Amino acid sequence: MATRPTPIPSVWARPQREPDQPALSRAAIVREAIVMLDAEGVEALSMRKLATRLNAGAASLYRHVATKDELMELAVDEVAAEIHVPSADGADWRAAVSEAARSFRTTALRHPWLPPVLGQAGLAYLGPNLMSYSERLAALFTAAGFPDPGTAIDAVLSYVIGMSTTEAAWLTTVSRSGDSESGLIARLLPAVQQATAPHSHLAQGYAETEEAVTTDPAALREAKFEAALEIVLDGLSLRLEAPGS
Amino acid sequence: MATRPTPIPSVWARPQREPDQPALSRAAIVREAIVMLDAEGVEALSMRKLATRLNAGAASLYRHVATKDELMELAVDEVAAEIHVPSADGADWRAAVSEAARSFRTTALRHPWLPPVLGQAGLAYLGPNLMSYSERLAALFTAAGFPDPGTAIDAVLSYVIGMSTTEAAWLTTVSRSGDSESGLIARLLPAVQQATAPHSHLAQGYAETEEAVTTDPAALREAKFEAALEIVLDGLSLRLEAPGS
DNA sequence: CCCTCGATGCGAACACTGTACGCAGAACGG
DNA sequence: CCGTTCTGCGTACAGTGTTCGCATCGAGGG
């Protein structure tokens, strides 16, 4: 085989590992992936861009992560640790569940890619943080004395995931539009009015909230979340006071 | 300019439009897209494969549809027509809402790609069928006498979307696994048991339903959907009987 | 001290994807 | 008969996830 031209050895040419470059590791990859997801959404995350941010080649990532799906699963579990669930001392279950739901929503809005991924994950993701999240939720409901904690969890979790998914999607649309939330609403208004015009109830419902939606949209979103959550909590409370059946 | 060699004109050479080839049209494209989505899921739908199925080139689709996202929006609206919402004659609102929720679930299971897309669509999709669906729901709640129909819709729709999303995702996983539902559960069981082992409430909750989950999973899924729905409906009923505020 | 060996990084390639451009031919109105 | 407009589409571009095989490197053993 041909001897390749011997390069002149030089201290300057020889690569020196930068000590503050924390090397490539699964944790570092997941951390940076979450940063990208938060900043630009789920479809802006590509293995190549992620690798570039880590001063690495795309193929290198696959030494630490089997596939992109697995990376997403790791990211979900990492972020799941941020959701706060009050401990089950049984004092006031309603306040505790409400707090858990609120905390889910705030982390979901901090990481808008989370709700859809989590919704589609379902039972498939078995990461430690997700498991301990479910465990704490289950502990809360059993301590409160619910005869069927599983159903209670289904109700509140499905509601929270569904609501957060659409709210996060809306916020993603807003941030991508480059406009403010009220600004985007104003620009969308003609289309919405035209679409709702033939439908009396929709038109009326929208007209009622039009002022609030243009002045302080964020507050209105939170109020809506809270109001519908109260409905679910009311339903739960009935299940608690009539333990027969 | 050069005269190209005159081809011999022949009846057989001249292309004749097949009459049963319904040409390319927006409706035909959307219809075939739905077939593909139902059969193979959302990530198996590509413009090229869709075009091939229609005996067309990929670029031709863009004469009838601006972008793939727009195609998805059209598909969603098409499928939204299948969701049945009882008319608002105000007889028994609880049965009517329950029927609407059930119908949502069955169409969601018939088109498992629908719930996640719909959840992320939120307010963005303004198709006629989706609008009339919302309208009928709003009519139902106002006819029943709810003081705040919007919040009622939020509660039941969020719950239904959240629950259907995870259920549809599970069914997609099952169909992709090539195994039966109980078979897949059996294969997943070790991993689940290992993951839930350190968490007492989860382990207990799973142990309780293990028999039902392996014998008739479909019935268990439906029962779970129904049970949590009852909680939401209970919460709604309170909102109705105390119209003050 | 050298030498091997497993782990790590990565350039190049493969099989895809959504979409833009511009040309060919048919349809149709004047 | 000519122009214009509409429809289909071959080709190309920029990107994707993932694999292969090779280079490099640090540690451990002789």
Side-chain angles (χ1 to χ4, degrees):
Chain A
M1 47 186 70
T3 61
R4 48 208 155 103
T6 63
I8 307 170
S10 158
V11 207
W12 312 112
R14 201 175 52 228
Q16 179 187 5
R17 183 192 295 270
E18 307 252 348
D20 48 1
Q21 288 273 342
L24 216 45
S25 75
R26 172 178 285 199
I29 292 174
V30 172
R31 195 182 337 126
E32 194 66 27
I34 293 176
V35 171
M36 287 190 67
L37 286 167
D38 291 351
E40 317 197 49
V42 71
E43 71 277 357
L45 174 69
S46 86
M47 299 302 266
R48 272 178 251 256
K49 286 187 204 149
L50 176 57
T52 310
R53 279 196 180 227
L54 292 161
N55 293 352
S60 310
L61 302 181
Y62 287 88
R63 293 282 172 195
H64 306 266
V65 154
T67 171
K68 195 191 180 184
D69 289 343
E70 185 183 299
L71 173 59
M72 287 301 295
E73 189 169 340
L74 291 169
V76 166
D77 197 72
E78 189 75 18
V79 162
E82 299 177 18
I83 311 175
H84 175 237
V85 179
S87 58
D89 52 2
D92 184 357
W93 69 267
R94 187 156 178 147
V97 174
S98 177
E99 158 66 14
R102 248 193 307 271
S103 173
F104 186 103
R105 174 173 176 264
T106 62
T107 58
L109 299 193
R110 202 165 32 233
H111 311 286
W113 47 276
L114 180 63
V117 178
L118 202 53
Q120 281 172 273
L123 326 159
Y125 289 180
L126 300 173
N129 291 330
L130 223 46
M131 295 310 282
S132 91
Y133 169 70
S134 306
E135 166 72 8
R136 293 172 69 84
L137 219 55
L140 205 157
F141 280 112
T142 43
F146 279 91
D148 187 357
T151 306
I153 292 182
D154 282 348
V156 47
L157 211 53
S158 291
Y159 162 71
V160 165
I161 287 182
M163 200 75 173
S164 304
T165 300
T166 77
E167 191 173 350
W170 164 249
L171 285 185
T172 302
T173 309
V174 169
S175 100
R176 247 197 282 273
S177 81
D179 203 346
S180 79
E181 189 168 354
S182 345
L184 182 59
I185 292 176
R187 280 198 293 148
L188 251 44
L189 199 130
V192 173
Q193 279 181 337
Q194 190 198 335
T196 57
H199 304 94
S200 56
H201 295 93
L202 294 184
Q204 183 192 342
Y206 188 76
E208 282 173 7
T209 58
E210 182 175 349
E211 188 184 336
V213 95
T214 47
T215 52
D216 192 349
L220 182 67
R221 278 188 281 108
E222 188 176 341
K224 283 181 59 171
F225 178 86
E226 220 77 43
L229 177 63
E230 288 302 312
I231 290 180
V232 179
L233 293 178
D234 283 353
L236 284 174
S237 73
L238 289 187
R239 218 41 54 116
L240 188 58
E241 292 166 305
S245 173
Chain B
M1 45 185 70
T3 62
R4 46 210 155 100
T6 62
I8 307 170
S10 158
V11 206
W12 313 111
R14 201 175 53 228
Q16 177 188 6
R17 180 185 307 261
E18 307 253 346
D20 48 359
Q21 289 273 341
L24 217 43
S25 75
R26 172 177 288 198
I29 292 173
V30 172
R31 194 182 337 126
E32 194 66 27
I34 292 176
V35 171
M36 287 190 66
L37 287 167
D38 290 350
E40 317 198 48
V42 71
E43 70 276 357
L45 174 70
S46 85
M47 298 302 267
R48 271 178 252 256
K49 287 187 205 150
L50 177 57
T52 309
R53 277 194 181 230
L54 292 161
N55 294 351
S60 309
L61 302 181
Y62 288 88
R63 293 283 170 195
H64 306 265
V65 153
T67 172
K68 194 191 180 184
D69 288 344
E70 185 183 300
L71 172 59
M72 287 300 296
E73 189 169 340
L74 291 169
V76 166
D77 197 71
E78 189 75 17
V79 162
E82 298 177 18
I83 311 175
H84 175 238
V85 179
S87 58
D89 52 3
D92 184 356
W93 69 267
R94 185 154 179 149
V97 174
S98 177
E99 159 66 13
R102 247 193 307 273
S103 173
F104 186 103
R105 174 171 176 266
T106 62
T107 59
L109 298 193
R110 202 164 33 234
H111 312 285
W113 47 274
L114 180 63
V117 178
L118 202 53
Q120 282 172 272
L123 326 160
Y125 289 179
L126 300 174
N129 290 331
L130 223 46
M131 296 308 281
S132 90
Y133 169 69
S134 306
E135 166 71 8
R136 291 172 71 84
L137 258 175
L140 205 158
F141 280 113
T142 43
F146 280 92
D148 186 356
T151 305
I153 293 183
D154 282 348
V156 48
L157 211 53
S158 293
Y159 163 71
V160 165
I161 287 182
M163 199 76 172
S164 304
T165 300
T166 77
E167 192 174 351
W170 165 249
L171 285 185
T172 303
T173 310
V174 169
S175 100
R176 247 196 282 274
S177 80
D179 203 347
S180 79
E181 187 168 358
S182 342
L184 183 58
I185 291 176
R187 280 198 292 148
L188 253 43
L189 199 130
V192 173
Q193 279 181 337
Q194 191 198 333
T196 56
H199 303 93
S200 57
H201 295 94
L202 294 184
Q204 183 192 341
Y206 187 75
E208 281 172 8
T209 58
E210 183 176 347
E211 189 186 335
V213 94
T214 47
T215 53
D216 193 349
L220 183 66
R221 278 188 280 110
E222 187 176 339
K224 284 181 59 173
F225 178 86
E226 220 77 42
L229 177 62
E230 288 301 313
I231 290 181
V232 179
L233 292 178
D234 282 353
L236 284 174
S237 74
L238 290 187
R239 219 41 54 115
L240 188 57
E241 291 165 305
S245 167

